[in-house]
Amino acid sequence: MRIAIDVMGGDHGSRAIIHGAARAVQDNPALTLELFGPRQHVMAELSRLPQPLAAAASRLVPRDAADAVPQEATAAWALRHGQGSSMALMLDALSHTHSGIDAAVSAGNTAALVALSRRALGMLPGISRPAISTAIPARKQRQCYLLDLGANVDSPAQRLVDFAVMGSAMAQCVDGIEKPRVALLNVGAEATKGSASVREADVILCRYAAQGVFDYRGYAEGGDLYSGCVDVMVCDGFVGNAVLKSSEGLASMLVERVQAAFESRLSGRLASLLARPVLKRLKRELDPVRYNGASLLGLSRIVVKSHGGAHAEGFYYAILRAMQEVEHNLPERLAERWRAAP
């Protein structure tokens, strides 16, 4: 497997990205990563890798890209001026099937990544715009795919329906769920609530459900995202992004509060020693880092967006997400599901 990496995106610089990439190739002997960024800079960071990460550096291949897309850049700026950026060259390499590259991962500017991906890779037939989706941990050891997360801030009804089809295809292909349970995120379960686009999407999705495309559960509220009773939650990008960032902040705060409660008194510190294995498991299960890596669904090739604030471990998980989608041949499976939709 061969994956292209944009090393110039992200808030913590290329060192965090390259360290995460090195760990990924160390753990996956069949994986090669092509690192797009200023060649001399990438080579210098590779030379600083500690052992045993340095042992896998032969499968980290530098690809020269002198420029980067600024974090504050608009999509229009990226399309006009970003042709020589690490992000654009990464996507251009992915677009050529003879390159052998299976997927691309970037922690860079989201708007630029969406715009450049659409131009370089194109959309699957019948899909007009990509949707950003990621998995949210839920009860009963399950997860729920939330989309859109910001690629489409304001979405009409038909686009929400498109998200439902793409999200259910993701749950079916990656998680093996035969008939994913889909819900529309709304301010209440009553039929009269919600915006006009959400109510219109509800009518269309009921028609889809009657034909067995997926198990449509109607409206759901924010708390239902974590209930384990829904596999796909659909909303526009403005709402989805706010929900995702709130979830990440809440998870981090809960872990910190639990640790602080145990350490506040001597009795708490003693109890903490006994509960340490449980606390470690809780932190591991709730840590947003483990769920880093959002899919740009609807593109003809696989592109994964890492959180801009991800450190090396977070970027490592974004690469694992891309690998998982390659293994499941996600775009082709999504296209098959799309053709089967009414």
Side-chain angles (χ1 to χ4, degrees), residues 40-332:
Q40 294 302 318
H41 177 74
V42 173
M43 293 296 291
E45 291 295 347
L46 289 175
S47 69
R48 297 188 188 103
L49 285 174
Q51 290 292 346
L53 293 181
S58 62
R59 287 182 285 116
L60 296 172
V61 183
R63 297 297 185 200
D64 192 38
D67 300 325
V69 175
Q71 287 291 350
E72 69 277 6
T74 63
W77 186 96
L79 290 171
R80 290 194 192 98
H81 308 291
Q83 295 93 332
S85 67
S86 55
M87 183 185 291
L89 293 176
M90 170 193 74
L91 293 168
D92 185 58
L94 177 61
S95 70
H96 294 96
T97 53
H98 60 78
S99 68
I101 295 175
D102 301 297
V105 183
S106 175
N109 181 306
T110 301
L113 184 62
V114 172
L116 291 172
S117 295
R118 286 184 70 192
R119 183 172 71 180
L121 307 173
M123 304 298 299
L124 291 171
I127 302 177
S128 60
R129 294 182 61 87
I132 303 177
S133 176
T134 196
I136 304 292
R139 293 191 181 99
K140 307 172 187 176
Q141 302 300 309
R142 302 183 71 97
Q143 60 183 15
C144 179
Y145 289 100
L146 177 66
L147 71 163
D148 179 39
L149 299 178
N152 309 272
V153 174
D154 188 15
S155 301
Q158 187 57 53
R159 193 165 296 154
L160 294 175
V161 175
D162 293 350
F163 297 164
V165 175
M166 289 192 282
S168 64
M170 172 78 109
Q172 187 180 50
C173 299
V174 176
D175 296 340
I177 301 172
E178 185 175 348
K179 197 171 183 180
R181 299 163 299 174
V182 177
L184 266 175
L185 186 59
N186 202 355
V187 293
E190 297 86 350
T192 57
K193 289 194 171 181
S195 64
S197 59
V198 168
R199 295 198 304 272
E200 184 181 347
D202 175 62
V203 174
I204 302 172
L205 287 171
C206 286
R207 193 161 63 242
Y208 273 52
Q211 300 184 40
V213 177
F214 41 70
D215 181 8
Y216 178 55
R217 299 294 180 95
Y219 295 146
E221 297 179 277
D224 297 321
L225 182 63
Y226 316 99
S227 67
C229 297
V230 176
D231 301 306
V232 179
M233 188 79 82
V234 176
C235 58
D236 65 46
F238 183 92
V239 173
N241 193 272
V243 170
L244 176 66
K245 299 297 173 59
S246 298
S247 299
E248 291 172 346
L250 177 61
S252 297
M253 185 271 291
L254 285 175
V255 171
E256 291 173 6
R257 285 288 183 90
V258 170
Q259 290 178 328
F262 273 110
E263 295 169 0
S264 60
R265 297 180 182 179
L266 177 61
S267 58
R269 288 194 290 271
L270 293 173
S272 175
L273 292 175
L274 297 174
R276 185 168 294 171
V278 176
L279 290 174
K280 280 187 174 180
R281 189 174 74 244
L282 176 66
K283 184 176 182 179
R284 186 171 62 251
E285 290 177 354
L286 292 181
D287 191 352
V289 167
R290 294 183 66 245
Y291 297 89
N292 185 44
S295 311
L296 270 65
L297 298 179
L299 294 169
S300 66
R301 304 298 302 277
I302 294 168
V303 178
V304 170
K305 170 67 172 73
S306 168
H307 197 301
H311 291 276
E313 185 181 10
F315 200 82
Y316 165 82
Y317 280 107
I319 295 172
L320 294 191
R321 162 59 66 179
M323 292 178 63
Q324 190 177 34
E325 294 186 12
V326 172
E327 289 168 355
H328 289 89
N329 194 14
L330 187 62
E332 180 57 34

